[in-house]
């Protein structure tokens, strides 16, 4: 699960990590008031940022650096009044409902800090770089030696001496070093406490020296979190940050029924049990010259009702020109799928070609059910195996 | 012979009175697995529907039944603890079926398991492990099924037309069944099938299982079925190149998966540029693995690698 930047800043602030003053606003008037307030606190520059998960905000004009509350007002008018279109949004763009108004701090130097799971080491790892503010993937590719990796102990987490060593490798000294160590320790604790799968601060900023901070000061300017969906049951406060408007409505509906659904661009709807088989079904459709319309794993214990809902979701996508059902029953019993197919035929109706491939638990009973309902399923073809199924649905949708 | 489990393995089920635990205990029992009992805290002293004794703790179950393997169906919030309880009670082979275990729980549990060097963990979020039995009438004997896979699709070497048996190791459940089925219909048996699970932090990984298959005289070849996400397949491929003495057929699911989207499994998400299915397939082919580009060709690819045409 992802959250917005304003929520991420709040989490950092609650963990006593220094962030620039900021406010989340939902109206133009609030934006003006927030800007005035932050300027009154001593800020010289402000930034207004649209709160959407999609990237490409800066180029689309939905991140603006400005100096006055009036400029903040017009930036807010633009962002709240227009849909944001970027390469990462749907073509029609996204409606922006929330903005972040924050102090844009002066920057002496930018760093990158993140803690995330290292699968190979089976533990969380602190990743740091003195080349912050840019895409870390780019740094990793072009200058791998510019990236510092410090594995955390799987049980006790980050040790202060490890954080100190990383801070020194970043070239920090004096008070800023102590501040960075403190920040890393708090970040690591926050990751564990919130069951985050990633905490990223980019950029971590060292401000230029001023009267109060003759060596400069360490501030977390932008933060990103990802959370482990498996742990949300014990992270009520995090789960409450979920913003359903950021999600594809069909994916959300599927989730409510315990289905794992990802919308894609193609024309062949897929209904499969198991994530690996569902991915493979997409792969073989493509190999045979078709394009999958979705990933859909009904799981092993889905009820007939949930499977029927899965058909409704697939068939409500107007691009779908055919449906491939591929079930290898283990826990999932094939007869349950067969009943759901017959039910969907009655309630929604298959106007598009339907290819059904069933194998595994209770397959004989399933075949009997589908055979008996042939009259209601005029577009159905039974497939012998996976390859046959893929060829049939691709041929049927091209015809 | 086989790896991990065989017809003599004595098995308990942790979470035996839950709906999934009860259902699959019965399934394993009927397949011929030596199910000897189970645990559910607070229900010690009772018997399950198959007449198996229920214990409050794994320690009591081990002392009462001599079990050396455990099948875990404990719900996600308590699953990591159940794994450690099994290890502490002396269970040698822990097979965790539970899906949805928090990753941080598994990070800590894996680290603690280092204190039990004789213990092997498979899973979580996996279909389990099966060493197929041979057919006696309409029943199977001499095998051991610990998990949720349909038993009947598997073939013991004795019943296999070609007289060959392969090991199968996979991150996916139903895709493993697909591979098993494609082998069985071609007359290729299976020595043992290991579902290592779809989570990012888990017990046995590809490399561990490949080492076991390489050392098992009853395994003639191996099918490894990977997915997008992580680097375990690449590490395994490099090991195969230097060490494996048996033919290996491979497949990676998710060539058409979009970047950054989790495809069902918590571990199945494309990260960096090296993390695509194509990149993994390339390394696997370079390391001498016979790569199947289509999931429908798994059995045929294995047959070819075994020299069966």
């Amino acid at each position: 699960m992802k959250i917005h930047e304003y929520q991420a800043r709040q989490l950092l602030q609650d963990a006593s990590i220094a962030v620039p003053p900021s406010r989340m606003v939902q109206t133009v008037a609030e934006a003006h008031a927030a800007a005035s307030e932050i300027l009154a606190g001593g800020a010289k520059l402000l930034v207004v940022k649209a709160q959407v998960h999609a990237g490409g905000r800066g180029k689309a004009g939905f991140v603006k650096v400005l100096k006055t509350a009036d400029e903040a007002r017009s930036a807010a008018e633009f962002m709240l009044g227009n849909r944001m279109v970027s390469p990462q949004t749907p073509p029609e763009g996204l409606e922006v409902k929330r903005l972040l108004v924050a102090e844009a701090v002066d920057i002496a130097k930018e760093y990158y800090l993140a803690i995330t799971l290292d699968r190979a080491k089976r533990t969380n790892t602190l990743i740091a770089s003195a080349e912050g503010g840019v895409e870390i993937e780019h740094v990793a590719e072009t200058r791998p030696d510019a990236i510092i990796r410090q594995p955390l102990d799987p049980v006790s987490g980050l040790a202060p001496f490890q954080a100190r060593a990383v801070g020194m490798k970043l070239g920090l000294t004096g008070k800023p070093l102590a501040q960075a160590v403190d920040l890393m320790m708090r970040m690591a604790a926050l990751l564990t406490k919130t069951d985050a799968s990633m905490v990223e601060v980019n950029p971590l900023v060292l401000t230029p020296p001023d009267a109060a901070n003759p060596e400069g000061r360490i501030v977390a300017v932008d933060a990103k979190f990802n959370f482990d969906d498996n742990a949300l049951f014990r992270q009520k406060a995090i789960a409450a940050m979920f913003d359903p408007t950021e999600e594809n409505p069909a994916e959300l509906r599927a989730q409510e029924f315990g289905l794992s659904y990802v919308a894609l661009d193609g024309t062949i709807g897929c209904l499969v049990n198991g994530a690996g088989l569902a991915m493979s079904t997409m792969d073989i459709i493509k190999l045979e010259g078709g394009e999958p319309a979705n990933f859909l794993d009904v799981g092993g214990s889905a009820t007939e009702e949930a499977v029927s809902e899965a058909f409704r979701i697939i068939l409500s996508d107007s691009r779908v020109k055919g449906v491939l059902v591929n079930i290898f029953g283990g826990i999932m019993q094939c007869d349950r799928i067969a009943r759901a197919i017959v039910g969907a035929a009655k309630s929604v109706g298959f106007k598009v070609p339907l290819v059904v491939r069933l194998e595994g638990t209770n397959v004989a009973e399933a075949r009997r059910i589908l055979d008996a309902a042939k009259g209601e399923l005029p577009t159905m073809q039974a497939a012998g195996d996976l390859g046959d199924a893929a060829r049939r649905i691709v041929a049927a949708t091209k015809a | 012979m086989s790896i991990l489990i065989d017809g003599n393995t004595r098995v308990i089920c942790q979470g035996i009175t839950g709906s999934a635990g009860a259902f699959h205990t019965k399934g394993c029992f009927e397949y011929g697995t030596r199910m000897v009992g189970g645990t559910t805290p607070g229900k010690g002293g009772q018997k399950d529907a198959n007449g198996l004794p229920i214990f409050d703790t794994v320690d009591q179950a081990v002392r009462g039944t001599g079990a050396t393997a455990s099948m875990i169906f404990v719900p996600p919030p308590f699953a990591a603890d159940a794994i450690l309880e099994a290890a502490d009670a002396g269970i040698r082979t822990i097979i965790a079926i539970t899906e949805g275990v928090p990753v941080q729980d598994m990070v800590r549990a894996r680290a603690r398991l280092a204190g039990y060097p004789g213990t092997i963990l498979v899973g979580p979020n996996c279909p389990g492990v099966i060493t197929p039995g041979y057919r006696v009438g309409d029943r199977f004997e001499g095998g051991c099924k610990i998990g949720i896979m349909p038993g009947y699709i598997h073939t013991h070497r004795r019943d296999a037309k070609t007289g060959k048996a392969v090991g199968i190791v996979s991150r996916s459940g139903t895709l493993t069944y697909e591979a098993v089925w494609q082998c069985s219909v071609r007359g290729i048996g299976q020595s043992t099938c290991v579902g290592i699970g779809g989570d990012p932090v888990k017990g046995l990984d590809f490399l561990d299982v490949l080492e076991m298959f390489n050392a098992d005289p009853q395994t003639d070849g191996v099918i490894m079925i990977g997915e997008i996400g992580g680097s375990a397949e690449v590490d395994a491929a490099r090991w195969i190149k230097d060490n494996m003495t048996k033919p290996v057929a491979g497949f990676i699911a998710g060539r058409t998966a979009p970047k950054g989207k989790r495809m069902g499994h918590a571990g199945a998400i494309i990260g960096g540029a090296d993390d695509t299915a194509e990149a993994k397939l390339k390394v696997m082919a370079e390391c001498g693995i016979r790569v199947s580009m289509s999931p429908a060709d798994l059995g045929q690819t294995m047959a070819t690698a075994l020299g069966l045409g």
Side-chain angles (χ1 to χ4, degrees), chain A residues 179-255:
Chain A
Q179 287 164 353
V181 168
D182 182 64
L183 183 144
M184 286 184 248
M185 295 301 295
R186 290 178 191 278
M187 249 173 95
L190 188 56
L191 177 108
T192 316
K193 192 182 145 211
T194 60
D195 275 300
S197 52
M198 186 195 69
V199 182
E200 181 188 75
V201 172
N202 187 27
L204 176 76
V205 163
L206 175 64
T207 62
D210 58 25
N213 303 287
E215 297 170 276
R217 191 167 73 93
I218 288 287
V219 186
V221 165
D222 195 354
K224 220 184 254 175
F225 283 76
N226 274 337
F227 297 99
D228 176 8
D229 293 345
N230 286 353
L232 289 178
F233 70 85
R234 64 183 178 202
Q235 297 290 348
K236 301 282 186 260
I238 301 296
M241 292 183 174
F242 179 67
D243 179 1
T245 62
E246 283 283 341
E247 308 295 317
N248 175 310
E251 291 178 16
L252 274 184
R253 199 148 61 95
Q255 227 170 51

Side-chain angles (χ1 to χ4, degrees), chain A residues 215-299:
Chain A
E215 297 170 276
R217 191 167 73 93
I218 288 287
V219 186
V221 165
D222 195 354
K224 220 184 254 175
F225 283 76
N226 274 337
F227 297 99
D228 176 8
D229 293 345
N230 286 353
L232 289 178
F233 70 85
R234 64 183 178 202
Q235 297 290 348
K236 301 282 186 260
I238 301 296
M241 292 183 174
F242 179 67
D243 179 1
T245 62
E246 283 283 341
E247 308 295 317
N248 175 310
E251 291 178 16
L252 274 184
R253 199 148 61 95
Q255 227 170 51
E256 280 168 31
F257 283 84
L259 308 164
S260 179
Y261 173 89
V262 177
L264 303 166
D265 298 331
T267 56
I268 298 175
C270 314
L271 186 147
V272 191
N273 66 325
L277 193 60
M279 275 190 277
S280 304
T281 305
M282 287 159 45
D283 295 345
I284 196 168
I285 287 173
K286 185 123 181 171
L287 267 178
E288 294 296 339
E291 288 288 340
N294 64 275
F295 165 93
L296 199 163
D297 169 13
V298 295

Side-chain angles (χ1 to χ4, degrees), chain A residues 277 324-328 355-359 367 381-386 389, chain B residues 178 181-182:
Chain A
L277 193 60
L324 173 56
V325 175
N326 181 23
I327 300 293
F328 209 122
V355 172
V356 179
R357 186 277 177 128
L358 299 171
E359 204 60 70
R367 293 202 175 117
Q381 301 178 46
D385 59 35
L386 178 53
Chain B
E178 182 69 48
W181 186 241
Q182 288 179 25

